[in-house]
Amino acid sequence: MAFSTDLIRNVAIAGHGGTGKTTLFEHLLFSGGAIAKPETLESGKTVSDYSDEEVERKISVHAALGHVERAGRKLNFIDTPGSSDFVGDVILALRACETALVMVDAHVGVQIETIKTWRNLEGRNRPRAVFANKMDVERASLDGAVADLKEKFKVDAVPVTIPMGEGPDYKGVIDVLSGKAWPLPASHDQKEAAAAVPAEYADALATARARLQEAAAEGDDELMEKYLGEGELGPEETVKGLREAFAANRIVPIFAGSAVKGSGVAALLDFVAEIAPDPSWSVPEVVVLADGTERKHPYDASGQPTALVIKTQIDQFSGRISWLKIFGGTLKADMELLDVRENKKEKVGKLFTATGKKLEEVTELCAGDIGMTTKVAALHTNDTLSLEAEPLPFKYLRLPQPV
């Protein structure tokens, strides 16, 4: 099934090494129904860390793509490496995705790769949320993590979920938007189940909800007028305000959780499906015309098929795999397009989406989606595929050179 542009959400998971990106990625796929069981890093069987080097070193070396369906929408997630040695895959993911999810260790706070990721996002004006992980670890503090983010980056950081206890007392999270509690699952391979908010957290929920509604009202005169006049916003108004504020990069939503225990995941998926921007909200990409001038190229679902090769990898079974971000029209299997760099026609062949190393064949990919094609030897990273009548080469993505 192909999803239209307005039903696609693309999220890059980035941050410092060891903050839990791969584990969260695993539980997002599990909670979303894409995999039957979440694996641990120690098992060497996680979806995204599948190469021999990753299994041996217990770290991510390559970006990995996965997707789930939530509320009738397709949510693409890219897990990225945390080590600066592999920053190229982080850069490509932040270009391909309209939203970033920055992982922060709740008992450590902002670290060096957090800062580098933030700078990259600032350069692209990308909306970003933060997942404050390891809330179950000794000395974990959501307030401390939020304060650190505000101090380092001068942002309006607004909790969307709040923890029920911290450190050894951690019992799960409360979704401030829905007013639901998501208690800690009995084990890491069980999904969260919604419950009523315990009475002891009623005041904390009320305080967090007021702050969230205030953030939703800011930047929208009509919502602010209602908020000031009535003291609150309705659920639909809150969602509308948050959607606009997040897409405009005015707020940084904060989520609490424990990835290793599968906690805080359900509310995060709901937020991405309902509030994260679809590709049409994104800052337009830049194409370079024949005379060297640059032009902005917004997503156009009804326009000509146009795609950028964002990553190239070699697989022992599938051969050469070209990751594609679709920026215009609908790319269909066996379609013949112009490789603008080579000025040569190429047949795309089969198209795929993926869950880690598992390729899943699809018939088409719509504007905004991320997918793959295989065994097109002439394609390289940064190549543009376009119709011959109007070639639109995208501006090259600058990647660090190996040293």
Side-chain angles (χ1 to χ4, degrees), residues 117-126 128 153 155 249:
T117 298
W118 212 274
R119 287 173 182 166
N120 193 303
L121 291 167
E122 286 293 294
R124 299 195 63 79
N125 195 24
R126 282 285 194 261
R128 73 225 57 170
F153 304 125
V155 293
N249 203 17

Side-chain angles (χ1 to χ4, degrees), residues 157-353:
V158 186
V160 177
T161 63
I162 56 175
M164 294 187 288
E166 296 179 337
D169 298 324
Y170 178 72
K171 305 180 190 71
V173 302
I174 296 170
D175 182 349
V176 179
L177 265 175
S178 67
K180 297 177 183 177
W182 294 95
L184 207 60
S187 63
H188 90 284
D189 57 357
Q190 292 189 19
K191 297 181 182 180
E192 296 168 284
V197 175
E200 62 187 294
Y201 296 107
D203 290 345
L205 173 59
T207 300
R209 178 174 287 156
R211 178 67 192 94
L212 196 63
Q213 291 182 0
E214 181 184 0
E218 291 173 355
D220 187 305
D221 292 341
E222 185 177 331
L223 290 179
M224 181 56 77
E225 183 177 348
K226 178 172 183 179
Y227 179 74
L228 292 175
E230 301 180 15
E232 64 178 2
L233 298 177
E236 291 183 3
E237 293 164 327
T238 303
V239 168
K240 175 180 180 292
L242 289 175
R243 185 180 292 132
E244 293 176 355
F246 185 46
N249 203 17
R250 292 197 302 266
I251 63 169
V252 176
I254 309 295
F255 297 84
S258 170
V260 73
K261 294 184 177 179
S263 176
V265 178
L268 174 60
L269 283 172
D270 288 341
F271 179 91
V272 172
E274 189 170 19
I275 292 176
D278 69 65
S280 66
W281 287 66
S282 180
V283 176
E285 281 293 327
V286 174
V287 295
V288 183
L289 304 182
D291 61 1
T293 59
E294 297 182 353
R295 188 180 81 191
K296 291 183 178 180
H297 181 75
Y299 286 92
D300 183 2
S302 61
Q304 69 169 46
T306 310
L308 177 70
V309 180
I310 58 171
K311 176 178 168 65
T312 306
Q313 68 183 79
I314 304 299
D315 180 79
Q316 60 177 329
F317 300 109
S318 302
R320 190 182 191 88
I321 301 176
S322 301
W323 290 40
L324 304 173
K325 176 62 184 282
I326 316 303
F327 284 107
T330 299
L331 187 63
K332 298 185 177 182
D334 297 323
M335 183 175 278
E336 194 173 72
L337 293 172
L338 181 71
D339 180 349
V340 178
R341 178 182 57 84
E342 292 282 350
N343 193 29
K344 178 184 175 183
K345 289 184 179 180
E346 294 288 350
K347 187 176 181 180
V348 171
K350 292 182 178 180
L351 296 173
F352 305 89
T353 185

Side-chain angles (χ1 to χ4, degrees), residues 117-154:
T117 298
W118 212 274
R119 287 173 182 166
N120 193 303
L121 291 167
E122 286 293 294
R124 299 195 63 79
N125 195 24
R126 282 285 194 261
R128 73 225 57 170
V130 170
F131 191 89
N133 194 25
K134 305 184 183 182
M135 288 301 309
D136 56 322
V137 173
E138 192 76 46
R139 296 190 303 278
S141 169
L142 181 65
D143 287 345
V146 169
D148 199 22
L149 289 162
K150 289 182 175 180
E151 179 186 351
K152 296 289 197 312
F153 304 125
K154 314 303 179 189

Side-chain angles (χ1 to χ4, degrees), residues 84 111-121:
S84 58
Q111 296 168 275
I112 184 62
E113 294 303 322
T114 322
I115 295 171
K116 292 179 182 178
T117 298
W118 212 274
R119 287 173 182 166
N120 193 303
L121 291 167

